[in-house]
Amino acid sequence: MSAAYATFGLAPAMRAGGVLANGDFQLHRDFVDFIVDSRPLLFQLSDLDAVSPLASDVPPAIFTAQVRSLLGETDAPLPGGRHVIYGCPECEDLACGAVTAVIERDGDDFIWRDFAWQTEETVDLRLNGYHGIGPFRFRGAEYRAALDSLLQEETQRARRRVLLIGARVAVLAKLAAALRSIGIGADITHGVGGVPADELRGYGAVAFGRAISEEERAAVRRSFDRAGIEVAYVDGLAPIVPLLVAQIEHALDRSPLAQRRLVRLVAADGEAGVEVTSPCRVRLTAYRLDRLYRSHAQEVFDGVLEAGRHRIALDAKAVKGESFVVARTSGSVLVEAMAR
């Protein structure tokens, strides 16, 4: 086994939820990802749609148990000293498949080895092992400090509620229902003047409809500023629910910019420019409003892109008139209005 050390850290990450072009719903999950040698370990697993067991929406007792297990303070949950490193974001059932690894102590060091894709209690490393990943040797002090920090401070749960402010009540109601269906709380209001700071503290983002004036937006911002609460503000691009959901998903992303896969989207002259930092599946969906103010959606690209910048031609019919492009990977979402 290699004696070389890898660095170990933790960082907030997100599995982007959303309302997809075919009408399916994808759950939003906030979790803590493992950073190995300054890079998310998840990025080494091709285009895996998964979350770590350190998810923000699990009960505190289970979250603590997961941390204790990774620290070797409790027995491994699977035979052979194996631990779930990444699991299904929808149900976390082993039958759906999970990335597992053996975690063991070697003196003061911690070693992660024998990574594999596992769907049953036992695993065949020859058939299902990730032969190009690991083993990783972590210095004990660094490893314990990172995981202990999740226990020493009261675990900071992501604020997964959104305040919706707009004039079109029907659109707001549909948007709130869509957000709730993917695991994001949503409330509708006309203003927040006089709302106690404790109530405002529950929100991670505020979304404004296009009819809300700049004066009204400024008043909302002042209310949050007076309460000392930092939130993300979303200016709704159009009354198209899946598009607004994508904008809110992007606003709720707390992962460090340097550790995101999808980092750039431009849309102009019938093309989309996309930049990704590692190979991954990218889906592009075009939304537009026609002359009768009806919304239309069309998936215009779905494929695996290598790391780097890419130019993708878009169907001219999909982006005519007032149109928008949503780029989506398993971990992030970007939205841009089509420039002319």
Side-chain angles (χ1 to χ4, degrees), residues 43-274:
F43 287 11
Q44 297 189 39
L45 299 169
S46 187
D47 189 48
L48 184 66
D49 183 13
V51 300
S52 84
L54 304 177
S56 66
D57 54 350
V58 300
I62 295 178
F63 187 95
T64 298
Q66 296 285 8
V67 175
R68 297 292 186 197
S69 177
L70 293 171
L71 286 166
E73 297 176 2
T74 59
D75 292 337
L78 298 172
R82 303 193 72 82
H83 298 250
V84 173
I85 306 301
Y86 295 106
C88 173
E90 297 286 341
C91 68
E92 301 181 90
D93 191 331
L94 183 63
C96 290
V99 176
T100 67
V102 175
I103 298 179
E104 62 185 9
R105 295 285 297 274
D106 183 14
D108 195 44
D109 297 341
F110 287 80
I111 296 172
W112 289 19
R113 62 173 175 84
D114 296 340
F115 285 81
W117 179 253
Q118 189 165 348
T119 57
E120 300 175 343
E121 285 295 301
T122 59
V123 63
D124 187 330
L125 289 176
R126 184 177 60 85
L127 293 177
N128 297 312
Y130 284 100
H131 302 294
I133 299 179
F136 300 114
R137 177 183 290 269
F138 305 116
R139 289 182 173 85
E142 179 183 56
Y143 182 88
R144 284 191 298 271
L147 289 168
D148 280 343
S149 69
L150 298 177
L151 302 177
Q152 292 168 355
E153 57 189 48
E154 183 178 353
T155 303
Q156 292 186 0
R157 304 290 175 175
R159 289 176 291 160
R160 298 166 60 239
R161 294 193 69 79
V162 180
L163 193 62
L164 308 177
I165 303 176
R168 301 184 64 174
V169 176
V171 173
L172 294 179
K174 291 179 181 178
L175 175 57
L179 289 168
R180 291 168 189 149
S181 70
I182 65 172
I184 298 174
D187 298 309
I188 300 171
T189 186
H190 295 292
V192 294
V195 176
D198 285 345
E199 291 187 29
L200 297 180
R201 195 166 286 113
Y203 297 103
V206 176
F208 297 110
R210 294 202 292 189
I212 300 302
S213 69
E214 186 53 44
E215 181 179 354
E216 292 172 305
R217 296 173 195 229
V220 171
R221 292 189 178 97
R222 284 194 297 270
S223 294
F224 278 92
D225 289 342
R226 283 194 298 268
I229 301 168
E230 183 178 345
V231 295
Y233 295 100
V234 178
D235 294 320
L237 289 173
I240 302 173
V241 170
L243 178 70
L244 294 170
V245 169
Q247 283 192 266
I248 290 169
E249 279 287 283
H250 172 66
L252 291 175
D253 193 348
R254 297 293 188 264
S255 61
L257 290 174
Q259 294 168 1
R260 297 184 189 181
R261 264 183 167 151
L262 180 61
V263 295
R264 179 175 177 267
L265 171 66
V266 294
D269 301 322
E271 287 187 341
V274 177

